[in-house]
Amino acid sequence: MGEPGILGVHNLSMSLDGYVAGPRQDAENPLGVGGMRLHDWVFATRTGRRMIGEPGGSTGLDDAFLRRGETGTDGRGIGATIMGRNMFGPVRGPWPGPPAAPWRGWWGEEPPYHHPVFVLTHEPREPQPMAGGTTFHFVTDGIESALALARAAAGERELRLGGGATTIRQYLRAGLVDQLHLVLVPVLLGSGERLLDDDLSGRYAVSRTTPGDGGVTHVELDRVR
Ligand SMILES: NC(=O)c1ccc[n+]([C@@H]2O[C@H](COP(=O)([O-])OP(=O)(O)OC[C@H]3O[C@@H](n4cnc5c(N)ncnc54)[C@H](OP(=O)(O)O)[C@@H]3O)[C@@H](O)[C@H]2O)c1
């Protein structure tokens, strides 16, 4: 048996002042107030437009990076995704029971994952199967447990750490992220969710910087071994 798949962050959009989401997330503002500007470059690409059911879009470098986020760096496809509860949705506290319809993610009935997704939360909930092969599993016993479950589900395939800031910060702190691909977006958000508040120097190093074709800059970091 080969090495299990790496854990990678792909296409994480970050403002010049270090925010990956604006403040006060709610159902109308999935990326927080003002945060959608972070994803303008995504929806200019063919892959980004396909995610929202729209035709067209650019097919240059930005698009290639987005596709790599789906195929993994080895091209074999992502086997499982881990995310925090706020990336999954705007619902806080205990999950509302019936008659309220359960929150099923931002992505509609067929989310663009097509593999198991492990959602970190303190609020237990039964798994939520969706169309197209995605099942949301809710993990209440921490980041290492979520990683073990994701690895077991993914087999040899790579794992994706989706976000948001709180979740990625914990995995970075624990040294569990193998690759971190940031997309620097030339906007100032002023407030929101910050990613890089810990000292990662000596633990992660920039391996490549690539100007994108939508005004953004792709910065790839690897864990120092
Ligand atoms: N810029 C980008 O490319 C990008 C990518 C992904 C996401 N985002 C954005 O980032 C924002 C979300 O980031 P965020 O930092 O607010 O939150 P997050 O990391 O998505 O979720 C945080 C929540 O997850 C649960 N959680 C996290 N770690 C846990 C642990 N160890 N054990 C149990 N539960 C745990 C907790 O929820 P409970 O205690 O409430 O259960 C916590 O409040 C959203 O606006 C999203 O759209 C941006």
Side-chain angles (χ1 to χ4, degrees):
M1 231 160 81
E3 288 290 309
I6 58 172
L7 178 64
V9 175
H10 296 271
N11 296 297
L12 190 76
S13 306
M14 189 168 85
S15 67
L16 273 187
D17 47 353
Y19 297 99
V20 300
R24 301 186 300 282
Q25 185 204 48
D26 61 22
E28 280 72 49
N29 296 284
L31 275 148
V33 174
M36 277 311 281
R37 286 184 292 163
L38 292 175
H39 278 177
D40 284 350
W41 73 273
V42 172
F43 299 117
T45 65
R46 177 187 285 182
T47 301
R49 297 190 66 73
R50 179 166 46 76
M51 284 177 201
I52 54 171
E54 297 285 342
S58 65
T59 55
L61 269 168
D62 291 343
D63 190 61
F65 273 111
L66 279 171
R67 275 189 282 115
R68 194 184 69 176
E70 296 178 347
T71 63
T73 51
D74 66 4
R76 289 194 296 172
I78 300 292
T81 292
I82 300 171
M83 68 174 66
R85 194 235 183 122
N86 300 357
M87 178 170 169
F88 177 66
V91 183
R92 306 288 190 268
W95 300 102
W103 178 264
R104 294 153 72 89
W106 303 104
W107 305 276
E109 284 309 299
E110 187 168 344
Y113 295 100
H114 313 292
H115 53 238
V117 176
F118 296 89
V119 180
L120 278 161
T121 175
H122 292 100
E123 302 292 342
R125 178 173 160 178
E126 290 301 308
Q128 176 70 65
M130 306 292 291
T134 300
T135 296
F136 295 109
H137 299 271
F138 300 89
V139 182
T140 55
D141 52 355
I143 61 168
E144 296 197 357
S145 170
L147 183 56
L149 290 166
R151 279 214 198 291
E156 299 297 302
R157 283 185 296 161
E158 293 182 14
L159 308 175
R160 181 167 180 172
L161 183 56
T166 310
T167 297
I168 296 176
R169 270 201 313 268
Q170 293 175 71
Y171 280 97
L172 286 171
R173 215 173 278 152
L176 294 170
V177 177
D178 297 297
Q179 295 179 341
L180 174 62
H181 165 208
L182 301 176
V183 186
L184 273 184
V185 183
V187 298
L188 297 168
L189 287 190
S191 63
E193 306 301 331
R194 293 183 63 80
L195 182 71
L196 299 176
D197 279 345
D198 294 325
D199 180 2
L200 298 178
S201 60
R203 301 175 58 211
Y204 286 86
V206 173
S207 55
R208 194 162 66 127
T209 304
T210 313
D213 41 22
V216 298
T217 304
H218 297 267
V219 182
E220 295 169 83
L221 298 98
D222 289 334
R223 184 154 54 91
V224 175
R225 289 171 189 275

